[in-house]
Amino acid sequence: MTSSLPQSADVLVVGAGPAGSAAAAWLARAGVDVLLTDAAVFPRDKTCGDGLTPRATHELVRLGLEDWLRAHPVSKGLRAHGFGQTLHLPWPGGTLPSWGSAVPRTELDDHLRTVAIKSGATAVDGVRAVDVRWDGERIAAVVFEGGHEVTCRSVVVADGVRSPLGKVLGREWHRDTVYGVAGRAYIASDQADDEWISSHLELRDESGAALPGYGWIFPLGPISGGSGEVNIGAGALATSKRPAEVAIKPLMRHYTEQCREEFGLQGELRAEKSALLPMGGAVSGVAGANWALIGDAAGCVNPLNGEGIDYGLETGRMVADAIVAGEDLATAWPATLREHYGEAFSAARRLAGIATHPRLVSTLGPAGMRSDWLMTLALRWMGNLVTDEDRDRAAKVWRWAGRRSLALDSRPPFS
């Protein structure tokens, strides 16, 4: 497949998930000669909950995909389960849309890659970037398996949570802050057209012991004209000091059996997958003179809900703006990430750290679930559904908490 690679491009994007495809689409629309590559052959699956909060739908609408997205299940908000109660929490709106969705990553990523191609990007899949050739402090070319080189002026690294090319460039993941261990699968359900996504905030193992994590069920609607499906999964939070001593796939199966009757789950799980998730910008080495890490590769995953699609789409757009503006990425890109996510990620990491103490969650959880107002506020904060334009009290408190948290960090996000 390397024979299909061109010899050069203005910008080379490594990784064609939401972050890379968004970057390629925005760059191409700005008239840049952009090459989008991926080691996998599309369409391909990706370990993910498939949920799209209003922050993600906002970016997809900006890309011109509202009609396409509305052809999929549209969610009104979150149904929160836990501590003997169930609350229906509408999406809070504000400057973001008041609706969300869920699309299987096999379909979403393939569609976004097609959008990038239709925007003018050249895309080649089935090619793995393994190294770079330097010219001083700048990348002169990216080297692919088989030895083929593509020369370029700039490189966008969007190769996922493990980021193999990022490691070549010096990216380091710091596990002293909270990270996630998550698994997901698909299963038939008679509630696949539900207008609410569900999250179980009280997760227990087979012995009944509380666990530092959560479960989810996201309706996906009818699949290929057949019966409906949901994405079902479970995630645990951990740090290097408090590792998650949880076998994720057995936990996911146990969680499925607990939910089978209430959610009309039918048959067996399929396509079970699990992954480790760096969160909250817990990586250093995110940029150099003419290269930048974005999305999951830069640790842009929300520590409180595990979502990364929204940040992937956002960082793809923002890095395209930085490249088109001719900025020195070595200084501009870390500053951009800190400006947009530093405060929120710092506060979210600190709050998520509390969730690694199951006894504390069991103590605080019942009180929180007794208040619709408090849980609605928590939904907005947990989902980072606060923008720079929001001026209401809840947004101001969240930003204040972020500033205070950031001042206490021994290692701030992206450093």
Side-chain angles (χ1 to χ4, degrees):
M1 290 292 294
T2 53
S3 61
S4 62
L5 283 167
Q7 297 296 316
S8 64
D10 284 345
V11 180
L12 173 55
V13 180
V14 178
S21 289
W26 289 116
L27 285 164
R29 292 177 186 185
V32 176
D33 170 30
V34 57
L35 172 63
L36 176 64
T37 69
D38 199 282
V41 175
F42 281 68
R44 59 98 177 96
D45 194 12
K46 174 73 182 295
T47 306
C48 185
D50 297 338
L52 300 168
T53 68
R55 193 172 186 119
T57 62
H58 177 66
E59 286 298 315
L60 291 168
V61 169
R62 292 183 72 148
L63 279 167
L65 299 179
E66 181 170 0
D67 290 344
W68 175 81
L69 190 56
R70 285 189 177 275
H72 297 80
V74 171
S75 63
K76 293 180 177 179
L78 175 71
R79 183 193 291 113
H81 306 257
F83 311 100
Q85 298 191 69
T86 299
L87 299 178
H88 289 78
L89 308 171
W91 295 120
T95 55
L96 294 172
S98 58
W99 59 284
S101 185
V103 181
R105 288 293 296 272
T106 303
E107 179 184 356
L108 176 69
D109 290 15
D110 191 52
H111 190 75
L112 286 171
R113 181 174 178 271
T114 299
V115 168
I117 294 169
K118 290 182 177 180
S119 297
T122 299
V124 181
D125 61 2
V127 291
R128 186 181 302 276
V130 294
D131 204 351
V132 300
R133 177 166 56 81
W134 295 97
D135 181 7
E137 296 183 349
R138 301 175 66 85
I139 294 175
V142 173
V143 183
F144 291 82
E145 277 186 348
H148 185 98
E149 290 189 1
V150 177
T151 60
C152 50
R153 296 181 181 176
S154 302
V155 179
V156 175
V157 182
D159 55 352
V161 293
R162 297 183 182 276
S163 192
L165 189 62
K167 290 179 182 178
V168 171
L169 298 173
R171 177 229 198 214
E172 185 179 357
W173 171 22
H174 305 286
R175 301 195 188 194
D176 52 340
T177 55
V178 70
Y179 62 90
V181 186
R184 72 95 171 103
Y186 297 99
I187 191 169
S189 169
D190 61 14
Q191 296 186 28
D193 291 323
D194 196 349
E195 293 182 315
W196 300 86
I197 65 172
S198 287
S199 180
H200 289 79
L201 307 179
E202 182 185 15
L203 195 61
R204 295 183 179 273
D205 63 18
E206 295 182 16
S207 69
L211 297 172
Y214 49 89
W216 68 80
I217 297 177
F218 296 161
L220 297 172
I223 304 298
S224 301
S227 62
E229 283 194 329
V230 296
N231 179 306
I232 187 167
L237 298 171
T239 66
S240 56
K241 292 183 179 179
R242 289 186 294 277
E245 297 177 353
V246 176
I248 284 294
K249 289 185 178 180
L251 173 62
M252 188 167 58
R253 294 163 193 159
H254 174 62
Y255 173 63
T256 298
E257 293 310 311
Q258 289 180 312
C259 298
R260 187 174 289 276
E261 183 176 354
E262 181 180 358
F263 288 87
L265 306 181
Q266 304 156 15
E268 302 301 319
L269 296 174
R270 71 170 185 86
E272 296 177 67
K273 280 192 162 188
S274 61
L276 286 173
L277 294 173
M279 293 174 156
V283 297
S284 56
V286 295
N290 68 333
W291 58 270
L293 273 60
I294 63 173
D296 288 356
C300 291
V301 176
N302 189 330
L304 291 173
N305 68 0
E307 186 181 19
I309 297 172
D310 49 359
Y311 302 115
L313 295 167
E314 288 176 1
T315 54
R317 172 175 51 80
M318 291 189 299
V319 81
D321 289 343
I323 290 172
V324 170
E327 296 179 356
D328 177 2
L329 297 178
T331 54
W333 187 239
T336 296
L337 291 176
R338 285 192 289 268
E339 176 187 355
H340 285 272
Y341 305 126
E343 293 175 359
F345 279 178
S346 176
R349 291 193 321 200
R350 210 166 293 279
L351 290 173
I354 296 174
T356 64
H357 299 274
R359 290 183 181 178
L360 190 56
V361 173
S362 296
T363 301
L364 299 175
M369 288 292 288
R370 285 195 290 269
S371 169
D372 284 33
W373 174 82
L374 187 59
M375 288 304 295
T376 298
L377 190 62
L379 171 64
R380 189 172 179 195
W381 289 348
M382 288 172 65
N384 196 14
L385 302 177
V386 176
T387 69
D388 294 339
E389 293 74 27
D390 289 330
R391 293 291 181 266
D392 59 286
R393 183 175 297 177
K396 290 178 180 178
V397 169
W398 182 237
R399 285 193 285 266
W400 172 85
R403 290 193 296 272
R404 296 282 295 179
S405 177
L406 201 58
L408 298 173
D409 282 340
S410 59
R411 182 185 288 114
F414 311 108
S415 64

Coordinates of all heavy atoms in Angstrom, one line a residue, residues 50-62 69-70 73-78 89-102 197 218 302 305 307 309-311 313-314 317 379-380 382-387 390:
D50 N -19.4 5.3 21.8 CA -20.2 5.8 20.6 C -21.1 7.0 21.0 O -21.8 7.5 20.1 CB -21.1 4.7 20.0 CG -20.3 3.5 19.5 OD1 -19.1 3.7 19.2 OD2 -20.9 2.4 19.4
G51 N -21.1 7.4 22.2 CA -22.0 8.5 22.6 C -21.5 9.9 22.1 O -20.3 10.1 22.1
L52 N -22.4 10.8 21.7 CA -22.0 12.1 21.3 C -22.8 13.1 22.1 O -24.0 13.3 22.0 CB -22.4 12.3 19.8 CG -21.7 11.4 18.8 CD1 -22.3 11.4 17.4 CD2 -20.2 11.7 18.7
T53 N -22.1 13.8 23.0 CA -22.7 14.8 23.8 C -22.9 16.1 23.0 O -22.4 16.2 21.9 CB -21.9 15.2 25.1 OG1 -20.7 15.8 24.6 CG2 -21.5 13.9 25.8
P54 N -23.7 17.1 23.5 CA -23.9 18.3 22.7 C -22.6 19.0 22.3 O -22.5 19.7 21.3 CB -24.7 19.2 23.7 CG -25.5 18.2 24.5 CD -24.6 17.1 24.7
R55 N -21.5 18.8 23.1 CA -20.2 19.4 22.7 C -19.7 18.8 21.4 O -19.1 19.5 20.5 CB -19.2 19.2 23.8 CG -17.9 20.0 23.6 CD -17.0 19.9 24.8 NE -15.9 20.9 24.6 CZ -15.6 21.9 25.4 NH1 -16.4 22.1 26.5 NH2 -14.6 22.7 25.1
A56 N -20.0 17.5 21.2 CA -19.6 16.8 19.9 C -20.5 17.2 18.8 O -20.1 17.4 17.7 CB -19.5 15.3 20.2
T57 N -21.8 17.2 19.1 CA -22.8 17.5 18.0 C -22.5 18.9 17.5 O -22.7 19.2 16.3 CB -24.2 17.4 18.5 OG1 -24.5 18.2 19.6 CG2 -24.5 15.9 18.9
H58 N -22.1 19.8 18.4 CA -21.8 21.2 18.0 C -20.7 21.2 16.9 O -20.8 21.9 15.9 CB -21.4 22.0 19.2 CG -20.9 23.4 18.9 ND1 -21.8 24.4 18.5 CD2 -19.7 24.0 19.0 CE1 -21.2 25.5 18.3 NE2 -19.9 25.3 18.6
E59 N -19.7 20.4 17.1 CA -18.6 20.4 16.2 C -19.0 19.7 14.8 O -18.6 20.1 13.8 CB -17.4 19.6 16.7 CG -16.6 20.4 17.8 CD -16.0 21.7 17.2 OE1 -15.4 21.7 16.1 OE2 -16.1 22.8 17.9
L60 N -19.8 18.7 14.9 CA -20.3 18.0 13.7 C -21.2 18.9 12.9 O -21.2 18.9 11.7 CB -21.0 16.7 14.1 CG -20.1 15.6 14.7 CD1 -20.9 14.5 15.3 CD2 -19.2 15.1 13.6
V61 N -22.0 19.7 13.6 CA -22.8 20.7 12.9 C -21.9 21.7 12.2 O -22.2 22.1 11.1 CB -23.8 21.4 13.9 CG1 -24.5 22.6 13.3 CG2 -24.9 20.4 14.4
R62 N -20.9 22.2 12.8 CA -19.9 23.1 12.2 C -19.3 22.5 10.9 O -19.0 23.3 10.0 CB -18.8 23.5 13.2 CG -19.2 24.3 14.3 CD -18.1 24.7 15.2 NE -17.2 25.7 14.6 CZ -16.6 26.6 15.3 NH1 -16.6 26.7 16.6 NH2 -15.8 27.5 14.6
L69 N -26.4 13.6 11.0 CA -26.4 13.2 12.4 C -27.9 13.0 12.9 O -28.1 12.1 13.6 CB -25.7 14.2 13.2 CG -25.4 13.9 14.7 CD1 -24.6 12.6 14.7 CD2 -24.6 15.0 15.4
R70 N -28.8 13.9 12.5 CA -30.2 13.7 12.9 C -30.9 12.5 12.3 O -32.0 12.2 12.8 CB -31.0 15.0 12.6 CG -30.6 16.2 13.5 CD -31.6 17.3 13.3 NE -31.3 18.4 14.3 CZ -31.8 18.5 15.5 NH1 -32.6 17.5 16.0 NH2 -31.5 19.6 16.3
P73 N -30.1 8.2 16.1 CA -30.8 8.5 17.3 C -30.4 9.8 17.9 O -29.3 10.2 18.0 CB -30.4 7.3 18.3 CG -30.1 6.2 17.3 CD -29.5 6.8 16.1
V74 N -31.4 10.6 18.3 CA -31.2 11.9 19.0 C -31.6 11.8 20.4 O -32.7 11.3 20.8 CB -32.0 13.0 18.3 CG1 -32.0 14.3 19.1 CG2 -31.5 13.2 16.9
S75 N -30.7 12.2 21.3 CA -30.9 12.0 22.7 C -31.3 13.4 23.4 O -30.8 14.4 23.0 CB -29.7 11.5 23.5 OG -28.6 12.3 23.3
K76 N -32.2 13.3 24.3 CA -32.7 14.5 25.0 C -31.8 14.8 26.2 O -31.7 16.0 26.7 CB -34.1 14.2 25.6 CG -35.2 14.1 24.6 CD -36.5 13.8 25.3 CE -37.7 13.7 24.4 NZ -39.0 13.5 25.1
G77 N -31.1 13.8 26.7 CA -30.2 14.0 27.9 C -29.8 12.7 28.5 O -29.8 11.6 27.8
L78 N -29.5 12.8 29.8 CA -28.9 11.6 30.5 C -29.9 11.1 31.5 O -30.5 11.8 32.2 CB -27.6 12.0 31.2 CG -27.0 11.0 32.1 CD1 -26.4 9.9 31.3 CD2 -25.9 11.6 33.0
L89 N -32.2 13.8 33.2 CA -31.5 15.1 33.2 C -31.3 15.6 31.8 O -30.5 15.1 31.1 CB -30.1 14.9 33.9 CG -30.1 14.3 35.3 CD1 -28.6 14.0 35.7 CD2 -30.8 15.2 36.3
P90 N -32.2 16.5 31.3 CA -32.1 17.0 30.0 C -30.7 17.7 29.8 O -30.1 18.3 30.7 CB -33.2 18.1 29.9 CG -34.2 17.7 31.0 CD -33.3 17.1 32.1
W91 N -30.2 17.7 28.5 CA -29.0 18.4 28.2 C -29.2 19.8 28.5 O -30.2 20.4 28.2 CB -28.6 18.2 26.7 CG -28.3 16.8 26.3 CD1 -28.9 16.1 25.4 CD2 -27.2 16.0 26.8 NE1 -28.3 14.8 25.2 CE2 -27.3 14.8 26.1 CE3 -26.2 16.2 27.7 CZ2 -26.4 13.7 26.3 CZ3 -25.3 15.2 28.0 CH2 -25.4 14.0 27.3
P92 N -28.2 20.5 29.2 CA -28.4 21.8 29.7 C -28.5 22.9 28.7 O -28.9 24.0 29.1 CB -27.3 22.0 30.7 CG -26.2 21.0 30.2 CD -26.9 19.9 29.6
G93 N -28.1 22.7 27.5 CA -28.2 23.7 26.5 C -27.1 24.8 26.7 O -25.9 24.5 26.6
G94 N -27.5 26.0 27.0 CA -26.5 27.1 27.0 C -26.1 27.5 25.6 O -27.0 27.6 24.7
T95 N -24.8 27.7 25.3 CA -24.4 28.0 24.0 C -24.2 26.8 23.1 O -23.8 26.9 22.0 CB -23.1 28.9 24.1 OG1 -22.1 28.1 24.8 CG2 -23.3 30.2 24.7
L96 N -24.4 25.6 23.7 CA -24.2 24.4 23.0 C -25.6 23.8 22.6 O -26.6 24.2 23.2 CB -23.5 23.3 23.8 CG -22.0 23.6 24.1 CD1 -21.5 22.6 25.1 CD2 -21.2 23.6 22.8
P97 N -25.7 22.9 21.7 CA -27.0 22.4 21.3 C -27.7 21.7 22.5 O -27.0 21.2 23.4 CB -26.7 21.4 20.2 CG -25.4 21.8 19.6 CD -24.6 22.4 20.8
S98 N -29.0 21.5 22.5 CA -29.7 20.9 23.5 C -30.0 19.4 23.2 O -31.0 18.8 23.7 CB -31.0 21.6 23.8 OG -31.8 21.7 22.7
W99 N -29.2 18.8 22.3 CA -29.4 17.5 21.9 C -28.1 16.8 21.6 O -27.1 17.4 21.4 CB -30.3 17.4 20.6 CG -29.7 18.1 19.4 CD1 -29.7 19.4 19.2 CD2 -29.0 17.5 18.3 NE1 -29.1 19.7 18.0 CE2 -28.7 18.6 17.4 CE3 -28.7 16.2 17.9 CZ2 -28.0 18.4 16.2 CZ3 -28.0 16.0 16.7 CH2 -27.7 17.1 15.9
G100 N -28.1 15.5 21.8 CA -26.9 14.6 21.6 C -27.3 13.5 20.6 O -28.4 13.5 20.1
S101 N -26.4 12.6 20.5 CA -26.6 11.4 19.6 C -25.7 10.3 19.9 O -25.0 10.3 20.9 CB -26.4 11.8 18.1 OG -26.8 10.8 17.2
A102 N -25.8 9.2 19.1 CA -24.8 8.1 19.3 C -24.7 7.4 17.9 O -25.7 7.1 17.3 CB -25.3 7.1 20.3
I197 N -29.8 8.7 26.9 CA -28.7 7.8 27.1 C -28.7 7.5 28.6 O -29.1 8.3 29.4 CB -27.4 8.4 26.6 CG1 -27.0 9.6 27.4 CG2 -27.4 8.7 25.1 CD1 -25.6 10.1 27.1
F218 N -26.0 3.2 25.6 CA -26.3 4.2 24.6 C -27.1 3.6 23.4 O -26.6 2.7 22.7 CB -25.0 4.8 24.0 CG -24.2 5.6 25.1 CD1 -22.9 5.8 24.9 CD2 -24.8 6.0 26.3 CE1 -22.1 6.5 25.8 CE2 -24.1 6.7 27.2 CZ -22.7 6.9 27.0
N302 N -12.1 13.5 28.5 CA -12.7 14.0 29.7 C -12.6 13.0 30.9 O -13.1 11.9 30.8 CB -14.2 14.3 29.5 CG -14.9 15.1 30.6 OD1 -14.5 14.9 31.8 ND2 -15.9 15.9 30.3
N305 N -16.3 11.7 32.2 CA -17.2 10.8 31.5 C -16.6 10.0 30.4 O -17.2 9.3 29.7 CB -18.3 11.7 30.9 CG -17.9 12.6 29.8 OD1 -16.7 12.7 29.5 ND2 -18.8 13.4 29.3
E307 N -15.3 10.8 27.6 CA -15.6 11.2 26.2 C -14.3 11.9 25.6 O -13.7 12.7 26.2 CB -16.8 12.2 26.1 CG -17.1 12.5 24.6 CD -18.3 13.5 24.5 OE1 -18.6 14.2 25.5 OE2 -18.9 13.6 23.4
I309 N -14.4 12.2 21.7 CA -14.8 12.5 20.3 C -14.9 14.0 20.2 O -14.4 14.6 19.2 CB -16.1 11.8 19.9 CG1 -15.9 10.3 19.9 CG2 -16.5 12.3 18.5 CD1 -17.2 9.6 19.7
D310 N -15.5 14.7 21.2 CA -15.7 16.1 21.1 C -14.4 16.9 21.0 O -14.2 17.7 20.2 CB -16.6 16.6 22.2 CG -16.1 16.1 23.6 OD1 -15.1 15.4 23.7 OD2 -16.8 16.5 24.6
Y311 N -13.5 16.5 21.9 CA -12.2 17.1 21.9 C -11.3 16.8 20.7 O -10.5 17.6 20.2 CB -11.4 16.7 23.2 CG -12.1 17.0 24.5 CD1 -12.5 16.0 25.3 CD2 -12.4 18.3 24.8 CE1 -13.2 16.3 26.5 CE2 -13.1 18.6 26.0 CZ -13.5 17.6 26.8 OH -14.2 17.9 28.0
L313 N -12.6 16.4 17.7 CA -13.1 17.3 16.6 C -12.7 18.7 16.9 O -12.3 19.4 15.9 CB -14.6 17.2 16.6 CG -15.3 15.8 16.2 CD1 -16.7 15.8 16.6 CD2 -15.0 15.6 14.7
E314 N -12.7 19.1 18.1 CA -12.3 20.5 18.4 C -10.8 20.7 18.1 O -10.4 21.7 17.5 CB -12.6 20.8 19.9 CG -14.0 21.0 20.2 CD -14.3 21.2 21.7 OE1 -13.3 21.2 22.5 OE2 -15.5 21.4 22.0
R317 N -10.0 21.0 14.5 CA -10.3 22.3 13.9 C -9.3 23.4 14.4 O -8.8 24.2 13.6 CB -11.7 22.8 14.3 CG -12.0 24.2 14.0 CD -13.5 24.5 14.3 NE -13.9 24.2 15.7 CZ -13.6 24.9 16.7 NH1 -12.9 26.1 16.6 NH2 -14.0 24.5 18.0
L379 N -24.1 17.2 35.7 CA -24.1 16.8 34.3 C -23.4 17.8 33.4 O -22.6 17.4 32.6 CB -25.5 16.5 33.8 CG -25.7 16.3 32.3 CD1 -25.0 15.0 31.9 CD2 -27.2 16.3 31.9
R380 N -23.7 19.0 33.7 CA -23.0 20.1 32.9 C -21.5 20.1 33.1 O -20.7 20.3 32.2 CB -23.7 21.4 33.2 CG -23.2 22.5 32.3 CD -24.0 23.8 32.5 NE -23.5 24.9 31.6 CZ -23.8 26.1 31.8 NH1 -24.6 26.5 32.8 NH2 -23.3 27.0 31.0
M382 N -19.6 17.6 34.6 CA -19.0 16.3 34.2 C -18.8 16.2 32.7 O -17.9 15.6 32.2 CB -19.9 15.1 34.7 CG -19.8 15.0 36.2 SD -21.0 13.7 36.8 CE -20.3 12.3 36.0
G383 N -19.8 16.7 31.9 CA -19.7 16.7 30.5 C -18.9 17.8 29.9 O -18.8 17.9 28.7
N384 N -18.4 18.7 30.8 CA -17.7 19.9 30.3 C -18.5 20.7 29.3 O -18.1 21.1 28.2 CB -16.3 19.6 29.7 CG -15.4 20.8 29.6 OD1 -15.7 21.9 30.2 ND2 -14.4 20.7 28.9
L385 N -19.8 20.8 29.6 CA -20.8 21.5 28.7 C -20.8 22.9 29.0 O -21.9 23.5 29.2 CB -22.1 20.8 28.8 CG -22.2 19.3 28.5 CD1 -23.6 18.7 28.6 CD2 -21.7 19.1 27.0
V386 N -19.6 23.5 29.2 CA -19.4 24.9 29.4 C -18.5 25.5 28.4 O -17.4 24.9 28.2 CB -18.9 25.1 30.9 CG1 -18.6 26.6 31.1 CG2 -19.8 24.6 31.9
T387 N -18.9 26.6 27.8 CA -18.0 27.2 26.7 C -17.5 28.5 27.3 O -18.0 29.1 28.3 CB -18.8 27.4 25.4 OG1 -19.8 28.4 25.6 CG2 -19.5 26.1 25.0
D390 N -20.3 31.2 27.7 CA -21.3 31.0 28.8 C -20.9 32.0 29.9 O -19.8 32.0 30.4 CB -21.3 29.6 29.3 CG -22.0 28.7 28.3 OD1 -22.8 29.1 27.5 OD2 -21.6 27.5 28.3

